[in-house]
């Protein structure tokens, strides 16, 4: 298995081009199931999760062509309605095929995703919404079986604003008969990106990006040609890296408007920023100030940036509290950071961090994507060598992460299996 070795102490300087967003690409590639003919997607990141979703779509009968960062998908030959355990187990986002398959084929059989490293992550809200659109739902042998002749518009309320729940139901409702209202929907930029693609295909969706979304069902959709938005979490990760190393890094191809929660907190740590149309130049200050953070649904501070921000607070001046309100178990990086010398105490859903002068390099591993990214960040400012194991977690969601870090001056390399 690959490992990443980081020698700490380098100051990062230069430009980083941000890739297409994983969490926008996954639902958008799935939306190809909703129309016959070739859809074209540009700026698709080359990630393990993207490979997994392509694998699932071709298992369902879609034809797929990839050329550099362009992916073309034709679901005209859709022939299977089952997302098997092996594919869903690898990636929970596979559950996104549920809504489109019922809308398109009138049935779907999708393995129930289990819990994962960061929490139980049920899909009850996806299922409640689908049944309110008229689907009959059965849970059997670890699978969800959903069926309906034609879905009918409904009025759906999310107890919790679920990102993939909103996406799944939006994709189910676009081909339903009549009007669907989604209340307390998630408002993430990835929801807006998906709605834009569906509207480009001929759907009639209003209000994406607000908690009230209205969808007027149409009888069919046409394929589209679109570009994937830039990854706000990858951008945020490089911003933290610049501040951590007292560097001077410019992000290219990013979307500052999607990063307001992160920008605000980083400014409070003392970072200096120049924000352009699609660029952010960020310089770290000599002393990193402590800042409290609470993760919240968008536009609040993203849970996907919590672990990275915790590394920054580990070497800040004074005490900070980070509260995780989205997932019940998203502090798995804490014990690894402690092994690197961080002073962190967890109490319920809060972590109390007392900044230390220096972290020290160690062999570490994490069981989640963002936690693994935080360990790379810790390695950048730790004394001596840090070895991050289980790199496949990083490869699920960060495109060429070590190349990008190396180009801005990090001493980082990947080592394959002996
Ligand atoms: N929830 C329920 N029932 C549901 C759905 C969600 O109780 O039916 C709960 C979850 O357990 C969680 C909260 O609602 O406590 C929010 O979860 P959400 O459904 O919004 O999460 P998700 O859609 O499964 C997406 C991202 C995650 C990101 C979260 C929160 C994708 C593919 N994944 O997950 O990304 O952390 O939203 O922003 O979009 C990552 O990229 O590393 C990652 C984990």
């Amino acid at each position: 298995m690959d490992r990443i070795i980081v020698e700490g102490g380098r100051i990062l300087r230069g430009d980083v081009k941000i890739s297409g967003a994983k969490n926008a690409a996954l639902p958008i590639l799935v939306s190809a199931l909703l129309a016959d003919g070739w859809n074209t997607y540009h700026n698709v990141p080359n990630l393990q999760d993207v490979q997994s979703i392509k694998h699932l779509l071709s298992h369902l009968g879609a034809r797929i062509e990839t050329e550099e960062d362009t992916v073309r998908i034709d679901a005209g030959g859709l022939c299977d309605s089952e997302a098997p355990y092996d594919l869903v187990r690898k990636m929970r986002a596979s559950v996104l095929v549920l809504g489109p398959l019922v809308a398109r084929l009138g049935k779907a059989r999708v393995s129930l995703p289990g819990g994962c490293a960061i929490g139980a992550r049920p899909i009850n809200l996806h299922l409640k919404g689908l049944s309110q659109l008229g689907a009959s739902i059965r849970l059997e042998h670890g699978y969800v079986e959903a069926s309906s002749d034609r879905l009918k518009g409904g009025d759906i309320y999310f107890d919790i604003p679920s990102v993939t729940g909103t996406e799944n139901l939006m994709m189910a409702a676009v081909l339903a008969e009549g009007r669907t209202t989604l209340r307390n929907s998630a408002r993430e930029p990835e929801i807006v990106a998906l709605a834009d693609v569906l509207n480009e295909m001929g759907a009639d969706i209003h209000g994406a990006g607000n908690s009230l979304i209205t969808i007027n069902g149409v009888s069919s959709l046409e394929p589209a040609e679109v570009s994937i938005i830039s990854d706000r979490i990858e951008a945020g990760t490089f911003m933290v890296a610049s501040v951590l190393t007292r560097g001077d890094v410019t992000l290219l191809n990013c979307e500052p408007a999607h990063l307001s929660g992160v920008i605000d907190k980083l400014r409070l740590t003392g970072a200096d920023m120049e924000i352009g149309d699609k660029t952010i130049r960020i310089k770290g200050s000599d002393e990193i100030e402590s800042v409290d953070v609470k993760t919240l649904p968008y536009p609040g501070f993203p849970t996907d940036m919590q672990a990275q921000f915790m590394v920054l607070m580990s070497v800040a001046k004074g005490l900070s509290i980070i509260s995780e309100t989205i997932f019940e178990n998203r502090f798995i990086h804490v014990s690894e950071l402690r092994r690197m010398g961080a002073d962190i105490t967890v109490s319920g859903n809060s972590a109390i961090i007392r900044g230390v002068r220096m972290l020290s390099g160690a062999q570490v591993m994490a069981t989640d994507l963002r936690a693994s990214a935080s360990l790379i960040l810790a390695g950048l400012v730790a004394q001596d060598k840090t070895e991050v194991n289980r790199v496949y977690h990083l490869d699920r969601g960060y495109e060429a992460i070590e190349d990008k870090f190396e180009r801005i001056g990090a001493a980082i390399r990947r080592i394959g299996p002996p």
Side-chain angles (χ1 to χ4, degrees):
M1 236 181 277
D2 289 2
R3 292 163 292 155
I4 287 185
I5 312 287
V6 189
E7 302 276 352
R10 302 285 184 94
I11 296 174
L12 303 185
R13 286 197 191 89
D15 297 346
V16 183
K17 184 167 175 268
I18 301 303
S19 300
K22 165 178 87 77
N23 290 346
L26 297 175
I28 287 172
L29 295 184
V30 167
S31 73
L33 294 176
L34 291 164
D36 288 346
W38 286 100
N39 293 273
T40 304
Y41 307 107
H42 302 289
N43 199 34
V44 178
N46 183 9
L47 303 171
Q48 200 48 53
D49 274 8
V50 168
Q51 297 306 332
S52 298
I53 209 78
K54 288 199 291 191
H55 191 177
L56 174 56
L57 296 175
S58 58
H59 165 88
L60 297 172
R63 287 188 295 164
I64 303 183
E65 291 174 357
T66 303
E67 200 186 329
E68 296 180 359
D69 69 352
T70 296
V71 176
R72 301 178 73 236
I73 305 180
D74 174 9
L78 207 59
C79 56
D80 201 325
S81 58
E82 176 166 323
Y85 175 69
D86 266 353
L87 295 178
V88 179
R89 180 177 57 88
K90 277 204 195 106
M91 188 185 61
R92 305 177 48 81
S94 304
V95 78
L96 282 166
V97 300
L98 185 60
L101 283 177
V102 182
R104 201 66 210 295
L105 298 176
K107 61 178 182 172
R109 187 166 187 268
V110 175
S111 174
L112 271 170
C116 77
I118 60 177
R121 304 183 76 184
I123 58 160
N124 57 315
L125 302 174
H126 303 226
L127 302 185
K128 178 181 140 233
L130 260 187
S131 82
Q132 282 173 292
L133 294 180
S136 67
I137 309 270
R138 285 197 321 166
L139 301 184
E140 233 171 46
H141 308 300
Y143 277 76
V144 184
E145 291 179 7
S147 58
S148 165
D149 285 342
R150 185 176 176 199
L151 294 169
K152 291 203 171 44
D155 197 317
I156 295 165
Y157 172 78
F158 288 97
D159 294 336
I160 304 171
S162 162
V163 175
T164 48
T166 304
E167 292 163 350
N168 223 336
L169 294 177
M170 217 158 63
M171 289 193 279
V174 282
L175 291 177
E177 193 184 324
R179 171 176 294 195
T180 297
T181 311
L182 303 180
R183 298 178 194 276
N184 199 27
S185 312
R187 294 181 287 163
E188 271 66 5
E190 294 75 21
I191 308 269
V192 179
L194 174 64
D196 286 348
V197 172
L198 294 169
N199 282 340
E200 187 69 30
M201 295 169 80
D204 187 3
I205 304 176
H206 302 268
N210 299 302
S211 52
L212 182 70
I213 301 178
T214 312
I215 303 151
N216 297 309
V218 296
S219 54
S220 65
L221 295 176
E222 297 291 320
E225 177 165 357
V226 293
S227 195
I228 305 294
I229 59 169
S230 107
D231 196 310
R232 64 196 167 99
I233 306 301
E234 186 197 13
T237 304
F238 280 98
M239 289 168 83
V240 169
S242 181
V243 179
L244 257 180
T245 64
R246 280 76 170 166
D248 181 357
V249 173
T250 300
L251 310 183
L252 308 176
N253 197 28
C254 71
E255 196 53 74
H258 296 166
L259 280 154
S260 47
V262 175
I263 288 172
D264 182 62
K265 292 294 174 187
L266 288 175
R267 275 218 168 99
L268 291 172
T269 70
D272 184 31
M273 274 177 254
E274 286 166 31
I275 312 239
D277 184 23
K278 297 276 177 209
T279 59
I280 299 177
R281 179 175 181 184
I282 177 161
K283 292 192 248 182
S285 67
D286 284 343
E287 202 143 54
I288 299 165
E289 301 293 335
S290 291
V291 180
D292 294 342
V293 162
K294 185 184 205 173
T295 64
L296 287 169
Y298 189 85
F301 190 91
T303 174
D304 291 344
M305 280 300 299
Q306 181 255 107
Q308 300 91 313
F309 203 82
M310 192 177 292
V311 175
L312 189 58
M313 291 302 97
S314 299
V315 292
K317 191 177 76 177
L319 186 121
S320 57
I321 299 180
I322 297 188
S323 306
E324 171 58 54
T325 75
I326 308 293
F327 292 112
E328 66 274 21
N329 191 29
R330 212 175 194 182
F331 282 145
I332 36 181
H333 41 284
V334 168
S335 50
E336 297 300 281
L337 292 176
R338 275 201 203 120
R339 293 182 52 248
M340 296 180 71
D343 181 350
I344 307 171
T345 310
V346 173
S347 169
N349 72 343
S350 293
I352 300 142
I353 305 132
R354 287 179 185 77
V356 296
R357 242 177 41 79
M358 200 37 120
L359 297 176
S360 82
Q363 279 185 303
V364 287
M365 67 165 70
T367 45
D368 150 51
L369 164 62
R370 309 302 172 187
S372 304
S374 79
L375 298 176
I376 300 259
L377 294 179
L380 292 173
V381 283
Q383 242 169 354
D384 303 327
K385 191 171 87 173
T386 295
E387 182 177 313
V388 182
N389 291 283
R390 296 203 182 156
V391 167
Y392 58 87
H393 287 295
L394 280 164
D395 294 338
R396 289 188 45 205
Y398 287 90
E399 189 174 52
I401 187 166
E402 71 275 19
D403 295 346
K404 290 189 182 188
F405 271 123
E406 194 179 16
R407 258 179 262 142
I408 53 174
I412 185 168
R413 64 187 195 282
R414 181 182 288 246
I415 298 185

